[in-house]
Amino acid sequence: MNRTLGQLEEALERQRRFSSDASHELRTPMTAMRTQIEDALQAPQETDVTTLAMALLPSLDRLQRIATDLLALSQLESDALPVRRQRVDLGKLAEGELQMLPITKRLVPLLDPDVVVLGDPHSLGSLISNLIGNAQRHAASTVTVTVWREPREPREPGGSPDRSPDASLNGTAVLEVADDGPGIPSEQREKVFQRFTRLDAARSRDAGGAGLGLAIARQVAQNHGGRLTIEDSAEGARFVLRLPLAP
């Protein structure tokens, strides 16, 4: 009973913290828009409608991104969006996302063929896009995207079976997105997957971001029976996605 009450209290505290953070994120662009409109009303003769509209659009775009991401995260966590199970070539999916994304840094794709998983290509594409976009924001010059298959580790006779979330009889599909930026300290690696997380200035999210992309990416990974983590690297940050390989 004490353990159950403790879990409920922790869940309620997370909900309160999330509500507070969400309110703050929504209030910031709304305050900016209100200030711009009030200034225009005080001097209507000096206000150009086109100029005012262009000034309001960035705040509206940010509000729309926050609302869209909040809805997506809510649906993912509540299983409102069931995972459509179909065969997805992870390398080809990553290649397609690289072709569609705006390129701001040097991209190095190392994509093995025929690394196939079962899942929803739209959700997995969104996950890959979030990881690459995050890496481009923080890279000094280069982002490396790697896809390969990790063979199933042999089990000793009499040993217990692997019951990890990404365990597969066929092995594991691995997608890695690495950048050469400032990196993320080991004690903060789990924190970046929390909603509306802010780190120090070196790895803070860009001013226009909603701070939900990595939280959505991890939830997509979990919904596909995999996991998304940050692992050690010689420089920068290295995000690693592991999913069960399809039969």
Side-chain angles (χ1 to χ4, degrees):
M1 180 65 73
N2 287 337
R3 184 166 58 250
T4 301
L5 290 174
Q7 291 171 345
L8 286 172
E9 184 176 354
E10 183 180 346
L12 287 171
E13 177 57 31
R14 286 199 306 268
Q15 186 65 36
R16 285 192 293 267
R17 190 163 56 246
F18 171 69
S19 299
S20 175
D21 291 341
S23 298
H24 175 77
E25 293 293 328
L26 292 169
R27 186 170 60 245
T28 300
M30 291 173 67
T31 300
M33 292 170 63
R34 184 179 183 89
T35 300
Q36 291 165 324
I37 292 173
E38 287 177 345
D39 288 345
L41 290 174
Q42 288 178 359
Q45 303 301 325
E46 302 175 11
T47 299
D48 178 72
V49 174
T50 302
T51 301
L52 177 61
M54 293 298 293
L56 292 173
L57 278 176
S59 294
L60 286 170
D61 287 341
R62 185 174 179 183
L63 282 173
Q64 187 173 13
R65 284 196 299 270
I66 293 172
T68 300
D69 286 349
L70 283 172
L71 177 60
L73 190 57
S74 174
Q75 290 174 326
L76 286 168
E77 290 181 341
S78 65
D79 295 327
L81 293 176
V83 176
R84 294 180 298 161
R85 299 290 180 180
Q86 65 183 71
R87 296 178 68 85
V88 179
D89 187 311
L90 207 56
K92 289 182 178 178
L93 186 63
E95 184 179 16
E97 293 298 322
L98 287 171
Q99 292 174 353
M100 289 188 294
L101 285 170
I103 304 303
T104 60
K105 300 292 168 61
R106 175 174 172 260
L107 290 174
V108 179
L110 304 171
L111 311 175
D112 285 357
D114 302 322
V115 180
V116 180
V117 300
L118 291 178
D120 177 9
H122 176 75
S123 296
L124 291 174
S126 174
L127 184 160
I128 295 170
S129 176
N130 271 322
L131 293 183
I132 297 173
N134 178 74
Q136 285 199 110
R137 285 195 294 273
H138 301 298
S141 62
T142 306
V143 173
T144 304
V145 182
T146 312
V147 171
W148 78 94
R149 60 173 60 228
E150 201 171 68
R152 183 189 179 208
E153 293 185 3
R155 179 161 55 96
E156 294 294 331
S160 60
D162 184 3
R163 301 188 184 279
S164 60
D166 55 350
S168 170
L169 294 176
N170 307 287
T172 304
V174 183
L175 179 139
E176 178 183 299
V177 178
D179 65 67
D180 59 350
I184 302 173
S186 57
E187 67 274 10
Q188 292 185 324
R189 290 178 182 176
E190 280 301 304
K191 189 176 179 181
V192 302
F193 294 106
Q194 298 174 8
R195 293 167 286 195
F196 302 117
T197 292
R198 293 178 178 83
L199 298 182
D200 57 39
R203 287 295 301 198
S204 64
R205 57 179 167 74
D206 58 315
L212 293 168
L214 292 178
I216 291 173
R218 170 164 278 190
Q219 190 63 51
V220 169
Q222 292 174 352
N223 287 4
H224 283 75
R227 57 193 173 103
L228 176 62
T229 57
I230 302 173
E231 300 186 5
D232 293 338
S233 58
E235 63 175 351
R238 185 166 69 99
F239 287 79
V240 181
L241 169 69
R242 286 183 168 85
L243 295 171
L245 281 168

